[in-house]
Amino acid sequence: MREIKLKALAKINLGLDVLRKREDGYHEVRMIMQTIHMYDQIMLTQTSEPGIKVQTNVDFLPVNEDNLVYKAAKLLMDEFRITDGVNIWLRKFIPTAAGMAGGSSDAAAVLVGVNRMFQLGLSKEDLMKRAVTIGADVPYCVMRGTALAEGIGEILTPLPAIPPCYILIVKPPVSVSTKFVYTNLKANELKVHPDIDGQIAAIREGNLEQMCRCMGNVLETVTIPAYPIIGRIRDEMIACGALNAMMSGSGPTVFGIFDDREKAEAAAGKLRGEGGTGQVFLTTAFHTS
């Protein structure tokens, strides 16, 4: 019996632009993705009994083929005709339905783990090619780090690590449907777009303040009117000294970037002290090297 333990890291979007709605119904995006030090824990156990079994610490998640970790394991085990089984223990810490790619990151970790456990010999690029069949964010979650994502999110260009900073995460007590956000986004009528190219240039120059000035997320045009608490948290982070703050992904998670730890901790304490704000975390960016 072999066991492998993995960390599935969350992500935020430093910039999120939607260029257009395509004829096939998908949205064409340009996003700056950033992995952060917040993670789910996954343990894979090889068994002689065939099949995939999933267990988790949260009762609202499916433990069958509707769970992305099950799909990830099945994808490789079917392709390579693996006759042994695998038990997957998923311990969730990343908030769910939060715009932080928790489910996608879990799936990515299982792809990495099954590849390692059964010695399949697949490279990171091999895994990323397969990952897109599970979800648009899964290839990025295999890659990790700082990256430009284009297409539907699957065309990835690695970027240099962002400068050191403190990232304050607040997940308000509301659930936001990604489908609701994209259905109500008037992508072809957007007048204001974040400066993704300017943000890339700032990252390459190591200019944290300029990187933050270029932050923007067009999905806020849908989510904040529907859930005003998102805008209130964003504005409060900025009032507390964040270089900038915005919603991650389709929400509802809000993050603020600070260049001063004391200011970040004070902001975290203030937001924790306010009733109804939700879950509050202070963390840092994950770098691949």
Side-chain angles (χ1 to χ4, degrees):
M1 181 184 293
R2 296 186 66 209
E3 287 187 351
I4 293 179
K5 295 181 180 178
L6 304 122
K7 292 178 180 179
L9 278 74
K11 66 84 185 167
I12 55 174
N13 300 90
L14 298 172
L16 195 164
D17 195 10
V18 178
L19 306 182
R20 66 187 180 99
K21 186 173 183 180
R22 307 192 318 189
E23 293 72 21
D24 60 8
Y26 288 100
H27 288 80
E28 194 163 313
V29 299
R30 287 191 89 215
M31 307 182 290
I32 306 293
M33 313 278 267
Q34 177 61 55
T35 313
I36 61 172
H37 284 289
M38 176 188 294
Y39 57 86
D40 293 338
Q41 295 175 340
I42 293 174
M43 185 167 73
L44 304 181
T45 305
Q46 183 177 350
T47 65
S48 55
E49 181 183 344
I52 301 163
K53 293 181 181 176
V54 178
Q55 293 176 284
T56 179
N57 63 323
V58 288
D59 56 12
F60 55 83
L61 284 182
V63 292
N64 55 17
E65 59 274 5
D66 294 327
N67 193 309
L68 294 184
V69 299
Y70 189 107
K71 289 181 179 179
K74 189 174 190 301
L75 180 74
L76 293 184
M77 293 173 77
D78 284 356
E79 179 182 350
F80 289 89
R81 299 178 182 176
I82 294 168
T83 55
D84 283 356
V86 64
N87 290 345
I88 304 171
W89 167 242
L90 169 61
R91 190 166 173 80
K92 291 291 294 180
F93 295 98
I94 301 170
T96 56
M100 301 184 76
S104 295
S105 190
D106 295 339
V110 169
L111 288 175
V112 170
V114 169
N115 180 48
R116 192 183 305 165
M117 174 171 278
F118 295 105
Q119 300 176 339
L120 305 181
L122 298 172
S123 67
K124 184 181 286 188
E125 290 71 25
D126 293 333
L127 291 175
M128 289 167 64
K129 286 175 188 172
R130 289 161 173 80
V132 74
T133 64
I134 302 170
D137 280 346
V138 185
Y140 166 73
C141 292
V142 172
M143 187 176 81
R144 295 178 170 177
T146 312
L148 169 68
E150 297 175 285
I152 61 170
E154 86 289 8
I155 303 169
L156 298 166
T157 305
L159 295 172
I162 67 171
C165 58
Y166 302 94
I167 302 170
L168 180 58
I169 305 284
V170 176
K171 162 63 169 65
V174 294
S175 293
V176 176
S177 160
T178 300
K179 184 178 180 183
F180 163 80
V181 175
Y182 277 98
T183 299
N184 288 279
L185 179 71
K186 296 177 172 59
N188 300 326
E189 299 174 20
L190 291 168
K191 299 290 192 292
V192 179
H193 294 269
D195 185 2
I196 299 294
D197 289 330
Q199 192 166 57
I200 292 170
I203 291 170
R204 293 193 186 283
E205 293 164 7
N207 188 331
L208 183 66
E209 290 188 11
Q210 181 61 21
M211 182 197 84
C212 291
R213 277 195 287 270
C214 294
M215 281 167 52
N217 181 350
V218 297
L219 301 185
E220 289 183 343
T221 60
V222 176
T223 315
I224 289 179
Y227 303 94
I229 189 173
I230 294 169
R232 290 200 299 271
I233 293 169
R234 180 196 62 189
D235 295 345
E236 190 155 347
M237 285 187 182
I238 293 170
C240 287
L243 296 175
N244 208 343
M246 75 176 201
M247 183 180 77
S248 182
S250 56
T253 297
V254 182
F255 70 91
I257 295 183
F258 293 78
D259 59 1
D260 181 273
R261 186 183 184 96
E262 287 186 6
K263 283 183 184 176
E265 288 176 342
K270 188 172 189 300
L271 285 160
R272 281 194 190 102
E274 294 177 0
T277 299
Q279 299 167 278
V280 180
F281 312 89
L282 184 57
T283 187
T284 55
F286 170 87
H287 298 149
T288 53
S289 58

